Amino acid sequence: MPFYHPPFYSSALEQAIDRYPLTAGPETSLAVAIALMSQLHNSCALPKTPSPSERGAVNEAPTPDKVRARCVIVVQNQQTIVTGNLSDNPSRGLLIGILTPADLVKLIAAGTIDTQHKVALHKIPITEVMSPVPVSLTESDDQDVFTALSLFRQHRIRYLPIVNQFRHLVGVLTRERIRQVLQPSNILKLRRVAELMTTPITAPHNASLLSIAQLMAEHEVSCVVITKNKEVKMEKPKNDYTSIFHYSFHQPLGIITEYDIVQAQFLELDFHQTSALKVMRTPLQFLKPSDSLWTAHKQMQQQQVQRLVVCGGRGELLGIITQTSLLRVLDPTEMYRVVKQLQQSVYQLQAEKVELLQSRNAKLEQQVRERTAKLNEQVQRDRLLTQISLRIHQSLNLEEILNASVGEVRQILQADRAAIVRLEPNNLGIVVAESVAENWSSILGEILPATVWQELDSAFEQQIYAVPDIELADLTAEKYARFQQAQIKAYAIVPILQDGNLWGMMCVHQCSAPRQWQSSEVDLLLQLATQIAIAIQQAQLYRQVQNLNTDLERQVQERTAELQQKVHELQQLNLLKDEFLSTVSHELRTPLANMKMAIHMLKVSPTFDRRQLYLEILETECTRETDLINALLDLQRLEAAAYPIDLETVNLEVWLPTIIDPFYGRAQNRQQHLRVQCDRHLPTISSNRASLGRIIAELLNNACKYTPDEGEIFLKVQCKNPEPMDGEQEGNGSKKKRSKAGEQKSTDNSEIQFIISNEAVISTDQLPRIFEKFYRVPNADPWKQGGTGLGLALAQKLAEQLQGKIEVASGNGWTTFTVTFPIHQEEKLAIG
């Protein structure tokens, strides 16, 4: 395989990409990954004191190609196996994850990697401990180094993978490589270390390596400074005596980084027993707070480190400066600010030069500028008032009016912020509209306390409250702190009055510097406050009209819906009436007709057998008529809750056969198969024999009525517990083994179920109506027996009266009715 020669890249981003990152496949173990990260250098991973020859060679800064990313990138289908040799081709596998030293530190701190008990790291695949890649950068000509810096800052990452359009790994980008490529000496020389240094996490020299890892994981830092307490005695002369006091501070001894933790893990050190003193990097090169960032940048290059300790004159620890701090200076916003400062300096020198050359005409030009400015202010003020007046007449939306007003005010007055605050009933103010310039914070939606409104007492008298400089104003500590938080240097407040009452106020803020408010600006704000008050009143009136219209429309819609519901109910009642009359008329007339025919035949019948037959017909039809009338009366009493019920003890094992036996002969006559299945031990329950028998008989009667020839009918009686009983419990119809202890442990939620299934199907649209009075499923009676349609309605009411319920399901050629009644504790004790 030919040796890979990296191409020459002209842009800073392309030069900073590490195109030979450490990569591994998904099957790679954690031990191999740690070994890869630990073998970036040929020497031992733990730091050692450099020899004099090595110290002399430190002046040469490493090139970006020699600085490799200390992470392992997990790829899939990689083309080459990376062994840490810089001569290998870069992998082009599909990016799936990343393992960083920070991840290993978190694993050690959390105890996942136990260095004391020697966890088998070769058995842990890298995919279980790797982190997902939060963001990656696609390599293209449109990307630049500032895009990468923005991603580093936005996502708070240390490694940025670079991929191609197919998400195959191209390389990785680190802050250190970017810093070594970008060397803006002018910008770094202008900034001091004290401006960007941060407070480090410290630990004593006798701390264990495990506690160091836990500190890194807890505070999410990449290093810990090892210190010791040092006390200095100081003398301060007074008038008649000398005051002696002791000064205690932290003196830095060394530093431990995440990479040191990785190397210690690779060397299989015991993190519980190894102290920080044995692992920390020494000696430390200190920076002073007054050093420039350029000095820090050069020392980082010379020492090949990513962070430096900042100390005071007595060697006390003040902070730490990192490459992240240096890259923050290279942020485009920061660079733009520095450039603007330089431009302002150039402009100032040019202005001084012009002033010296034109000193004789300075006074005249000043007068011309003042008059021009006054004319411009007048024109702009008139234009602003005209625009706002037009907006008031064109729009009745209060939000649009307020937003337009603050935008125009800020533009005309060239202020940093303009806002409108509305007074709430509880004397709190809320910022409802705002226009703010770039680089200044927003206060939209903030709530102002009641103390802010106290200063408006003067505003009512003077009609404006202007403060040119808050540093010189007599403000309370609370108000001063709030103004500082909002970045306000000068402000002007105008009250917005409505019918003599305070509605709110318009505020104009100057955040960049103090400002002397001019009388023309004050007049403009007063006129605007009046126009805004008119706009608010118009918008409120319009909103009230809209609310009234909306309320009327809602009432009309509600009344219309109620009328439609009433009409629908009347239609349903009319249908029920027709069905009732049709059914009752048929069911009453048919038995009467049969009875009249039987009576007539009795009169003319010559033989005894014939008379006996007609007497049986007469008795049957009379019973049918009586049953219909009783069913109507019973259903009426049940619906009116006027039907008393007496509970009695029912032994299901003895009582059920008396209900079921008559249906065996009926099913046999119609060539149907009736199968009954009961639990081995049925309980003695408290119920009403007549009601319960009527429910079961009605359901069995329906099953026989609607089951065709050779059809099957199943009746299953079972006890059901919400919690499993002791012993085995199988599917439907299986035996259940119970023990006395298991029965006594069951809850009071036990139930008895009667399940009746037959080979018939009720369509989905008909199923919800089968419990309605007088309703019969069309064309579902193969025996053409007719019926009143009251049986199921009466069964449902009786079940509810007995505190039970009836459920029905139909599908796959079967219809199943399930009747469920609760079993109380004293009833369950009778089981078995």
Side-chain angles (χ1 to χ4, degrees):
M1 183 174 61
F3 186 82
Y4 176 75
H5 296 282
F8 175 76
Y9 298 100
S10 57
S11 69
L13 177 64
E14 292 174 331
Q15 295 180 39
I17 295 175
D18 179 5
R19 298 182 180 269
Y20 304 93
L22 296 177
T23 61
E27 69 282 357
T28 305
S29 66
L30 182 58
V32 174
I34 294 175
L36 284 175
M37 283 192 286
S38 302
Q39 294 175 359
L40 281 176
H41 297 302
N42 295 328
S43 59
C44 177
L46 294 178
K48 62 180 182 179
T49 304
S51 62
S53 61
E54 291 175 337
R55 294 175 184 173
V58 135
N59 294 327
E60 181 182 357
T63 63
D65 292 336
K66 296 180 181 180
V67 181
R68 303 191 64 188
R70 294 176 177 177
C71 65
V72 175
I73 300 179
V74 185
V75 295
Q76 199 169 22
N77 301 327
Q78 58 180 349
Q79 295 179 358
T80 60
I81 300 176
V82 178
T83 60
N85 191 352
L86 293 178
S87 63
D88 289 343
N89 286 347
S91 173
R92 292 297 182 267
L94 183 65
L95 176 64
I96 61 175
I98 187 172
L99 181 67
T100 66
D103 297 329
L104 293 176
V105 171
K106 292 179 181 179
L107 293 174
I108 295 172
T112 303
I113 300 179
D114 192 346
T115 58
Q116 191 174 25
H117 297 88
K118 304 298 181 183
V119 177
L121 302 183
H122 64 279
K123 296 183 179 180
I124 302 177
I126 195 172
T127 52
E128 291 186 3
V129 297
M130 70 180 184
S131 299
V133 179
V135 65
S136 60
L137 186 65
T138 303
E139 186 181 41
S140 65
D141 297 336
D142 297 332
Q143 306 290 1
D144 55 22
V145 71
F146 297 108
T147 301
L149 287 175
S150 177
L151 292 176
F152 274 108
R153 181 179 65 257
Q154 180 181 357
H155 297 276
R156 301 178 66 183
I157 56 177
R158 300 176 187 173
Y159 305 94
L160 179 61
I162 309 298
V163 297
N164 58 16
Q165 58 181 346
F166 304 106
R167 197 167 174 76
H168 288 178
L169 181 66
V170 174
V172 68
L173 203 61
T174 63
R175 291 189 178 99
E176 186 176 7
R177 292 180 67 91
I178 293 177
R179 178 177 56 82
Q180 291 173 350
V181 170
L182 295 179
Q183 297 186 7
S185 59
N186 291 331
I187 295 178
L188 295 179
K189 288 178 181 178
L190 293 175
R191 305 296 296 274
R192 303 294 103 184
V193 168
E195 298 177 32
L196 295 178
M197 69 179 182
T198 58
T199 303
I201 302 300
T202 62
H205 64 280
N206 57 353
S208 67
L209 201 54
L210 178 61
S211 63
I212 300 297
Q214 292 173 345
L215 278 176
M216 290 183 182
E218 177 183 359
H219 297 279
E220 296 183 354
V221 295
S222 61
C223 69
V224 173
V225 179
I226 308 303
T227 63
K228 71 173 182 180
N229 272 340
K230 186 175 182 180
E231 188 170 311
V232 177
K233 184 172 68 174
M234 302 182 64
E235 298 181 357
K236 187 175 182 180
K238 299 289 184 179
N239 294 333
D240 299 329
Y241 62 96
T242 300
S243 176
I244 300 176
F245 62 95
H246 297 272
Y247 175 65
S248 178
F249 58 87
H250 288 288
Q251 183 181 15
L253 300 178
I255 191 169
I256 295 179
T257 66
E258 291 174 342
Y259 190 66
D260 299 328
I261 300 295
V262 174
Q263 290 180 312
Q265 177 61 39
F266 174 70
L267 296 176
E268 298 183 352
L269 298 182
D270 188 348
F271 278 53
H272 293 80
Q273 303 297 329
T274 305
S275 64
L277 195 63
K278 297 180 180 180
V279 182
M280 66 182 184
R281 295 174 179 265
T282 56
L284 295 176
Q285 296 293 329
F286 302 140
L287 289 173
K288 295 181 294 183
S290 58
D291 289 340
S292 68
L293 296 181
W294 179 249
T295 302
H297 169 69
K298 290 193 297 183
Q299 286 198 22
M300 285 185 185
Q301 284 188 319
Q302 292 172 358
Q303 300 177 34
Q304 301 184 24
V305 295
Q306 301 180 12
R307 54 196 61 82
L308 293 171
V309 176
V310 183
C311 292
R314 298 184 180 87
E316 68 273 23
L317 176 64
L318 298 180
I320 189 171
I321 196 80
T322 65
Q323 60 180 354
T324 304
S325 306
L326 298 181
L327 290 178
R328 193 182 310 161
V329 181
L330 303 180
D331 184 84
T333 304
E334 188 71 15
M335 297 177 67
Y336 177 77
R337 189 183 68 81
V338 175
V339 171
K340 291 293 291 183
Q341 289 180 350
L342 295 175
Q343 288 179 348
Q344 289 177 359
S345 300
V346 173
Y347 294 155
Q348 183 178 0
L349 292 175
Q350 291 178 350
E352 292 176 356
K353 181 179 179 180
V354 171
E355 185 179 359
L356 291 175
L357 294 176
Q358 300 178 353
S359 56
R360 293 182 180 180
N361 298 327
K363 186 175 181 180
L364 180 60
E365 290 179 356
Q366 180 66 25
Q367 293 177 353
V368 172
R369 284 195 295 269
E370 290 177 355
R371 293 183 179 182
T372 303
K374 289 181 180 180
L375 291 175
N376 289 335
E377 289 176 359
Q378 183 66 34
V379 171
Q380 291 175 352
R381 183 169 65 251
D382 294 341
R383 180 176 62 84
L384 176 61
L385 291 174
T386 302
Q387 290 178 351
I388 294 179
S389 299
L390 288 175
R391 287 183 181 273
I392 291 175
H393 293 292
Q394 292 176 356
S395 174
L396 292 174
N397 188 314
L398 181 59
E399 184 178 358
E400 293 180 359
I401 295 171
L402 297 181
N403 289 331
S405 300
V406 293
E408 296 289 347
V409 168
R410 189 183 69 82
Q411 181 179 359
I412 295 301
L413 297 183
Q414 294 296 309
D416 295 327
R417 185 191 294 117
I420 292 179
V421 182
R422 184 183 66 207
L423 178 63
E424 298 294 329
N426 52 1
N427 288 332
L428 295 178
I430 181 171
V431 182
V432 295
E434 178 194 47
S435 176
V436 61
E438 296 181 359
N439 302 328
W440 303 112
S441 61
S442 173
I443 61 172
L444 184 64
E446 286 192 6
I447 298 177
L448 307 180
T451 54
V452 176
W453 301 98
Q454 297 175 359
E455 63 188 20
L456 289 179
D457 295 338
S458 301
F460 278 121
E461 299 177 0
Q462 304 174 6
Q463 293 189 331
I464 193 168
Y465 191 85
V467 175
D469 190 352
I470 65 170
E471 299 292 343
L472 305 178
D474 187 14
L475 301 176
T476 63
E478 180 184 359
K479 293 180 183 177
Y480 181 80
R482 180 170 290 274
F483 290 149
Q484 285 286 349
Q485 183 180 1
Q487 303 173 316
I488 300 174
K489 298 293 180 63
Y491 64 94
I493 298 176
V494 177
I496 300 175
L497 303 178
Q498 195 174 57
D499 296 332
N501 298 320
L502 180 63
W503 181 91
M505 62 182 180
M506 172 179 283
C507 308
V508 181
H509 299 159
Q510 197 70 26
C511 301
S512 57
R515 174 172 180 168
Q516 190 67 38
W517 303 100
Q518 304 298 323
S519 58
S520 59
E521 298 171 343
V522 174
D523 294 337
L524 174 63
L525 290 176
L526 289 173
Q527 296 180 43
L528 285 177
T530 303
Q531 296 294 331
I532 293 173
I534 297 173
I536 293 171
Q537 187 174 12
Q538 292 181 354
Q540 289 177 346
L541 290 175
Y542 177 69
R543 184 175 298 175
Q544 290 176 2
V545 173
Q546 281 186 326
N547 291 338
L548 289 175
N549 291 335
T550 303
D551 187 54
L552 288 175
E553 291 178 0
R554 179 183 56 80
Q555 292 180 6
V556 170
Q557 292 175 355
E558 290 178 354
R559 295 292 175 85
T560 303
E562 291 176 359
L563 290 175
Q564 292 176 350
Q565 181 65 23
K566 293 295 183 183
V567 170
H568 180 71
E569 290 177 358
L570 289 175
Q571 292 175 348
Q572 293 296 324
L573 289 175
N574 190 33
L575 291 175
L576 288 176
K577 180 197 69 174
D578 294 341
E579 291 178 0
F580 173 77
L581 293 176
S582 175
T583 303
V584 172
S585 176
H586 176 269
E587 293 298 327
L588 287 174
R589 288 178 178 179
T590 300
L592 288 174
N594 292 335
M595 290 168 68
K596 290 174 65 177
M597 182 271 297
I599 293 172
H600 174 73
M601 295 304 296
L602 280 174
K603 293 179 180 180
V604 300
S605 178
T607 64
F608 175 80
D609 294 337
R610 288 286 182 179
R611 289 179 181 180
Q612 189 67 26
L613 174 64
Y614 295 138
L615 285 173
E616 290 178 359
I617 293 174
L618 187 61
E619 183 180 6
T620 300
E621 295 301 327
C622 183
T623 303
R624 180 179 174 185
E625 194 81 7
T626 303
D627 290 341
L628 173 60
I629 295 173
N630 289 335
L632 286 171
L633 294 176
D634 291 342
L635 188 59
Q636 181 64 26
R637 286 195 296 267
L638 286 171
E639 288 181 343
Y643 186 76
I645 185 170
D646 297 325
L647 298 180
E648 53 189 322
T649 301
V650 180
N651 188 337
L652 293 179
E653 293 185 351
V654 177
W655 174 78
L656 272 176
T658 63
I659 302 298
I660 300 172
D661 288 344
F663 289 95
Y664 281 109
R666 180 176 177 180
Q668 186 176 5
N669 293 334
R670 296 185 178 181
Q671 299 179 358
Q672 298 168 342
H673 304 282
L674 174 61
R675 306 181 189 277
V676 179
Q677 181 179 1
C678 300
D679 282 356
R680 175 177 298 178
H681 301 287
L682 291 178
T684 298
I685 64 174
S686 178
S687 184
N688 184 274
R689 294 174 183 266
S691 298
L692 183 60
R694 192 164 186 177
I695 293 171
I696 298 173
E698 182 61 39
L699 294 177
L700 287 173
N701 181 54
N702 273 1
C704 293
K705 182 188 296 186
Y706 296 110
T707 301
D709 292 343
E710 299 299 332
E712 292 188 350
I713 301 172
F714 284 96
L715 170 61
K716 181 179 181 180
V717 185
Q718 64 178 8
C719 290
K720 182 180 178 183
N721 291 316
E723 297 179 358
M725 309 266 306
D726 290 349
E728 298 178 356
Q729 182 174 350
E730 301 176 356
N732 292 336
S734 63
K735 297 180 180 180
K736 302 178 183 179
K737 297 181 180 179
R738 298 182 178 89
S739 65
K740 283 293 183 180
E743 295 166 359
Q744 294 175 357
K745 291 179 181 178
S746 63
T747 64
D748 289 340
N749 296 328
S750 299
E751 298 172 338
I752 183 74
Q753 285 188 340
F754 301 88
I755 303 172
I756 301 173
S757 302
N758 66 306
E759 286 189 280
V761 177
I762 303 176
S763 62
T764 305
D765 57 337
Q766 302 292 332
L767 198 62
R769 301 191 59 190
I770 62 174
F771 291 105
E772 295 179 5
K773 293 182 294 184
F774 306 111
Y775 181 78
R776 299 177 66 242
V777 179
N779 303 322
D781 185 359
W783 305 99
K784 306 300 180 182
Q785 300 177 108
T788 62
L790 295 176
L792 289 179
L794 186 60
Q796 186 184 48
K797 293 297 182 181
L798 289 172
E800 292 175 355
Q801 191 179 36
L802 293 176
Q803 299 180 354
K805 61 181 178 179
I806 299 180
E807 297 174 326
V808 61
S810 183
N812 298 326
W814 288 84
T815 297
T816 302
F817 286 86
T818 303
V819 186
T820 306
F821 296 101
I823 303 177
H824 301 290
Q825 183 67 28
E826 62 273 8
E827 300 169 3
K828 290 187 295 177
L829 294 177
I831 298 177

